[in-house]
Amino acid sequence: MVYLFPRFTLCWTEFVDMKVHVPCETIEYIEANYGKTWQIPVKMWDWKRSPPNVQPNGVWPISEWDEVIQLY
């Protein structure tokens, strides 16, 4: 799976006494990942299927696994 996001820049914010980077375009980022109705709780969320920005990425054929999967 691939998750597509609009281009964004990072800004600093303070969270629990720690400075962290967050997308400056916060609402656009949230809407890309959770949709325009992100404020409404979702009872059954599937991280692989529910986000509106998820796209299939394809699958390697088993015959090519030896070339694309390497264990060290």
Side-chain angles (χ1 to χ4, degrees):
M1 296 292 157
V2 174
Y3 300 88
L4 303 175
F5 288 91
R7 183 176 296 272
F8 62 89
T9 54
L10 292 174
C11 290
W12 287 102
T13 192
E14 195 168 314
F15 179 72
V16 191
D17 296 329
M18 183 171 51
K19 288 194 174 193
V20 295
H21 273 121
V22 297
C24 298
E25 302 80 4
T26 308
I27 298 300
E28 291 86 351
Y29 184 88
I30 291 171
E31 287 178 351
N33 203 31
Y34 299 106
K36 298 278 186 189
T37 59
W38 61 270
Q39 308 94 326
I40 300 170
V42 176
K43 303 278 189 214
M44 299 294 291
W45 181 266
D46 180 353
W47 66 273
K48 294 180 287 184
R49 294 178 185 85
S50 297
N53 63 338
V54 69
Q55 300 289 318
N57 196 25
V59 178
W60 289 102
I62 293 175
S63 62
E64 295 180 18
W65 282 13
D66 288 340
E67 295 178 42
V68 297
I69 300 174
Q70 297 181 9
L71 301 176
Y72 295 95

